[in-house]
């Protein structure tokens, strides 16, 4: 492997010429002479590049991790580089401060969005003008279970777990439930080709109505409509069970859909151009 060979050579050259290893080169009388130096740091310096190289090799040889319900076509892209990104550190139900109609309000809730057209959340500022100050509108109303449903969160969980990877042309890499309690559900959904991961959460929080929802991409500015398609798919199944959930449409979130349309028109990826 050419990349690894370069790393090895680089490490050896830097070690050979480093005086702290125990060798320095002087030229008395014009001839190079190797003079032994104290070697108390030799082991540490040898260890650092070797450990780094070991980690590098491990990263190169680590096979792509696919969720068990990925579509069969995923095998074609399993050895391609993945851009899974890093999940936010503050997922889950936490005190969230938003701008209310008059004053700031702090209530338990899921994470808000940063204004990029790749996220939806039931947590956000009250006024549209505040929400769009830094980007597109992302706020959606909480999902309302059927009035007489004895265990709505269990119904929600069963619908999410029955989600079909690849439906609507998205999430071909499959999905997995990462954390589940009686009042919180956290899942990760993976794209087919590049392994993009979206973090999707549902929660029941004290003092709030309905089910809180958040679906967001980790990487990129736009999601090509993926988060809206996913939430609309899940919401459709729940509406069949008597739930009240607003659909995410061009009328409800025009700037989001405009950004998605522009991204689809600009991409060379035929599968993304077909997303609607």
């Amino acid at each position: 492997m050419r990349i690894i060979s370069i790393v090895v050579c680089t490490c050896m050259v830097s070690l050979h010429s480093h005086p702290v290893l125990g060798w320095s080169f002087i030229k008395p009388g014009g001839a190079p002479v190797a003079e032994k130096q104290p070697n108390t740091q030799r082991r540490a310096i040898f260890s650092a590049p070797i450990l780094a190289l070991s980690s590098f090799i491990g990263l190169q040889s680590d096979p792509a991790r696919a969720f068990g319900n990925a579509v069969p076509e995923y095998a074609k892209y399993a050895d391609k580089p993945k851009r899974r990104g890093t999940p936010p550190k503050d997922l889950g139900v936490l005190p969230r401060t938003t701008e209310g109609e008059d004053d700031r309000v702090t209530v338990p809730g899921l994470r808000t969005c940063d204004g990029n057209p790749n996220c939806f959340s039931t947590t956000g500022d009250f006024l549209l003008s505040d929400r769009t100050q830094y980007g597109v509108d992302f706020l959606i109303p909480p999902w309302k279970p059927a009035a007489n449903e004895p265990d709505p969160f269990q119904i929600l969980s069963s619908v999410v777990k029955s989600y079909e990877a690849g439906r609507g042309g998205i999430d071909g890499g499959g999905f997995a439930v990462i954390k589940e309690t009686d009042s919180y559900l956290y899942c990760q959904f993976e794209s087919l080709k590049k392994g993009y991961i979206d973090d999707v959460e549902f929660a029941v929080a004290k003092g709030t109505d309905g089910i809180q929802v958040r679906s967001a991409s980790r990487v990129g500015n736009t999601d090509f409509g993926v988060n809206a398609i996913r939430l609309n798919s899940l919401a459709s199944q729940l509406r069949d069970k008597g739930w009240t959930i607003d659909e995410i449409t061009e009328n409800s979130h025009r700037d989001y859909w405009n950004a998605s349309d522009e991204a689809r028109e600009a991409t060379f990826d035929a599968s993304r151009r077909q997303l609607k």
Side-chain angles (χ1 to χ4, degrees), residues 167-222:
R167 184 176 183 180
I170 67 172
D171 301 325
F175 70 96
V177 174
I178 306 303
K179 182 177 180 180
E180 181 177 17
T181 69
D182 293 339
S183 59
Y184 178 73
L185 181 65
Y186 168 41
C187 304
Q188 293 177 359
F189 292 76
E190 182 176 343
S191 67
L192 175 62
K193 297 180 180 179
K194 296 188 177 181
Y196 296 119
I197 296 290
D198 292 350
D199 298 299
V200 181
E201 301 173 277
F202 304 92
V204 177
K206 294 181 179 179
T208 61
D209 296 328
I211 305 294
Q212 297 194 26
V213 180
R214 183 177 185 271
S215 182
S217 302
R218 297 177 183 176
V219 178
N221 180 69
T222 180

Side-chain angles (χ1 to χ4, degrees), residues 94-273:
L94 297 171
R96 311 288 182 177
T97 300
T98 58
E99 296 291 341
E101 188 172 8
D102 298 313
D103 300 308
R104 289 190 173 183
V105 179
T106 301
V107 296
L110 299 176
R111 196 175 192 269
T112 188
C113 299
D114 59 10
N116 286 334
N118 62 6
C119 175
F120 290 98
S121 177
T122 50
T123 302
D125 295 334
F126 179 84
L127 297 177
L128 175 63
S129 58
D130 288 334
R131 297 196 301 273
T132 56
Q133 185 175 359
Y134 303 104
V136 305
D137 186 18
F138 55 81
L139 189 67
I140 56 175
W143 291 7
K144 303 287 187 181
N148 298 322
E149 177 56 57
D151 193 354
F153 208 78
Q154 181 59 41
I155 296 297
L156 169 67
S157 176
S158 65
V159 167
V160 172
K161 292 175 182 177
S162 66
Y163 180 81
E164 181 182 353
R167 184 176 183 180
I170 67 172
D171 301 325
F175 70 96
V177 174
I178 306 303
K179 182 177 180 180
E180 181 177 17
T181 69
D182 293 339
S183 59
Y184 178 73
L185 181 65
Y186 168 41
C187 304
Q188 293 177 359
F189 292 76
E190 182 176 343
S191 67
L192 175 62
K193 297 180 180 179
K194 296 188 177 181
Y196 296 119
I197 296 290
D198 292 350
D199 298 299
V200 181
E201 301 173 277
F202 304 92
V204 177
K206 294 181 179 179
T208 61
D209 296 328
I211 305 294
Q212 297 194 26
V213 180
R214 183 177 185 271
S215 182
S217 302
R218 297 177 183 176
V219 178
N221 180 69
T222 180
D223 64 357
F224 297 87
V226 168
N227 285 286
I229 294 170
R230 180 188 305 117
L231 290 182
N232 282 340
S233 176
L234 295 170
S236 176
Q237 295 181 63
L238 290 168
R239 279 194 291 266
D240 291 341
K241 300 179 182 297
W243 287 47
T244 302
I245 305 174
D246 290 353
E247 185 177 8
I248 301 171
T249 68
E250 294 183 1
N251 290 329
S252 66
H253 295 81
R254 184 175 302 279
D255 290 342
Y256 167 86
W257 284 112
N258 286 342
S260 298
D261 289 342
E262 291 174 1
R264 286 191 292 266
E265 291 173 1
T267 185
F268 292 102
D269 189 330
S271 60
R272 288 187 178 275
R273 293 178 66 90

